[in-house]
Structures are given as C-alpha cells and as structure tokens.
Amino acid sequence: MSDVTVGDILDFLQEKAPFESAEEWDNSGLLAGSREQPARRVLTALDITGDTVDAAVRLGAGLIVSHHPVIFRPLRRLDAGGIPYRLAREGIAAICAHTNLDRAGGGVNDTLAGLLGLREVRTAGDGLCRIGTLDAPADGGIFAATVGKTLHTAVRFRAGRRPVRTVCLCSGAGGDYLLPLLGEADAFLTGELRHHEWLEAAAAGVTVVEAGHYATEAPVVDTLVDWLSAAFPVLSCVPYYGGAPYTTL
C-alpha cells in the first residue's frame, strides 16, 4: 500500500480496538481532520499537547494517534491558542483511542501486564482489568519496588497481609474498577487512587500500588508504533513521550 490515509489507519484501529467498546462517557475516534487525509508520517502519543503538536510539525506528520482524547468535553468556542485550533491550522488529523484501547487485546492493560512479567493473564469480568500471576510470590514492598523500577517512576503503596502472587491491574485512574475485584488478587496496581479507595483496599488486607497515571499508560505509545508499523510498512511511525505533567520530589 503506497498511499495510506487517515481512514485506513482508523479502520485498522477499529479492528484492533473497536471504538464502540469505549465507555459511554468517553470520546474516542477521529476527533480532528478527515478520513481522506494522507498519513505518510504518524506520531503516537499519550496526550496531544502543544509540545506534541510541535513534534508532529517537526516530523511532518499528518496524523497523531493518541490515547487520551484531544477533545473530551464539548467545546464552547474555538480558541486560537487551543490544541484543536492548532491541529486544524496545521492540517494534522487526530485519532484518539481511549477506553477502547484499555480494553483491547494487546492494548494498554495488556502492555502493562507484559512489562511486569505477569503470566496466565486473563481479562476480568468487567472487560477492562487484567489479572495475572508472578513467577514467584513476593513481599508487597518488593513488588511495589519492582513496579517502580520497571516503569521508571515513583510509587505509593501499602503492603498487604499476605505475599503477592496474583496481581490485578488497571492503568490510569483505575480505582473504581479495582474495588469490585478486591477478593480476586493479592495485589492491585493502578495509576491513581482516591482516599476512600485506599481505605477500602487497606481494610481488605491486600497490597496496593499506585504508580502514576502517566507511567502506567505511556508504554502503549510503543505498542501503537509496533501495531501501525507492522500493518503499514510504508508508514514512518514515531513515538512521542511528553513525560508526566508533574515532578515528583
């Protein structure tokens, strides 16, 4: 295939991570540009920020494929300094695959499970979380330290009352999804938790690790490059890492 279009890539992602599988509140799909636009160069990213658009312009990319939606809430006005306006001005399309990519086989959560070396990974009943096993039981603190080292991030954790062998994970802000599964694993890993979620997990006596929204989801940027490069060998597909939007002291 010599001329890849935005529509070709959209159709491919529909096969890999069907957009209708996204949560009802989500906004995934082609959020800027048209299907007919050429996409000879593609940038993959977690977020579409000003820096992401700058990187796409430098690359000469006609398309950004991101995890987080560039338009999430209805726009009340098209601000000349806003990202949607910049995308339109630069002629750059945007495809955003959010909770549909979390759910997809090989997507965000499976990528995270693979990085952590989990075995016998299965999808939880909610269709989103993943449950797998470690090669050998580990102390809760050691498991938390391993997560931090693997994802190159600071972590917050609470060690549970038993060794960790079975792990349940949900990337990003996964507390709402993990709490109903407290009886199914020794340890729970997500990007961010609210205070009451920490309390419920502590009462259940399980190990809990909070590794940051960015760190638990950023690895999918490489997954997207792998998918697109294999499906469209003529594409120039480049990952962009903007980094977490904060600094940990």
Side-chain angles (χ1 to χ4, degrees):
M1 181 181 295
S2 57
D3 295 319
V4 180
T5 67
V6 169
D8 293 327
I9 294 175
L10 185 68
D11 291 343
F12 168 74
L13 291 173
Q14 167 67 20
E15 293 180 6
K16 297 288 285 186
F19 291 101
E20 62 269 18
S21 69
E23 295 288 273
E24 184 178 351
W25 47 262
D26 199 3
N27 190 30
S28 293
L30 178 59
L31 302 190
S34 72
R35 291 180 55 93
E36 291 72 31
Q37 286 179 243
R40 298 180 185 89
R41 294 184 177 89
V42 177
L43 194 75
T44 66
L46 188 65
D47 302 287
I48 302 181
T49 64
D51 289 340
T52 311
V53 177
D54 289 342
V57 171
R58 289 194 299 270
L59 179 67
L63 170 66
I64 300 172
V65 177
S66 74
H67 180 44
H68 291 142
V70 66
I71 300 173
F72 191 65
R73 297 178 179 84
L75 294 175
R76 296 185 179 275
R77 64 190 183 98
L78 196 58
D79 187 342
I83 303 304
Y85 183 95
R86 284 202 60 198
L87 290 171
R89 187 181 67 192
E90 300 290 351
I92 299 173
I95 296 175
C96 305
H98 193 205
T99 52
N100 57 311
L101 189 59
D102 290 325
R103 275 198 165 84
V108 182
N109 285 316
D110 280 334
T111 296
L112 181 58
L115 282 175
L116 296 174
L118 297 185
R119 310 296 183 187
E120 301 174 345
V121 177
R122 62 182 175 87
T123 302
D126 59 13
L128 186 71
C129 297
R130 300 299 194 262
I131 302 173
T133 58
L134 299 174
D135 283 333
D139 172 80
I142 292 175
F143 171 70
T146 299
V147 170
K149 182 177 181 181
T150 301
L151 300 182
H152 309 290
T153 186
V155 301
R156 297 197 298 176
F157 79 97
R158 180 186 177 98
R161 295 192 288 263
R162 59 182 182 268
V164 175
R165 183 63 186 269
T166 305
V167 178
C168 179
L169 62 82
C170 183
S171 62
D176 285 342
Y177 298 98
L178 293 178
L179 288 183
L181 301 171
L182 284 177
E184 298 192 30
D186 306 313
F188 291 81
L189 166 65
T190 189
E192 39 181 304
L193 287 162
R194 290 173 290 183
H195 185 74
H196 78 274
E197 292 165 347
W198 280 103
L199 292 176
E200 288 190 45
V206 299
T207 292
V208 182
V209 182
E210 181 191 69
H213 200 124
Y214 176 86
T216 57
E217 294 188 334
V220 81
V221 172
D222 280 333
T223 298
L224 288 170
V225 168
D226 292 343
W227 283 4
L228 294 174
S229 297
F232 305 99
V234 298
L235 276 184
S236 172
C237 195
V238 177
Y240 174 75
Y241 299 99
Y246 53 81
T247 299
T248 302
L249 298 177

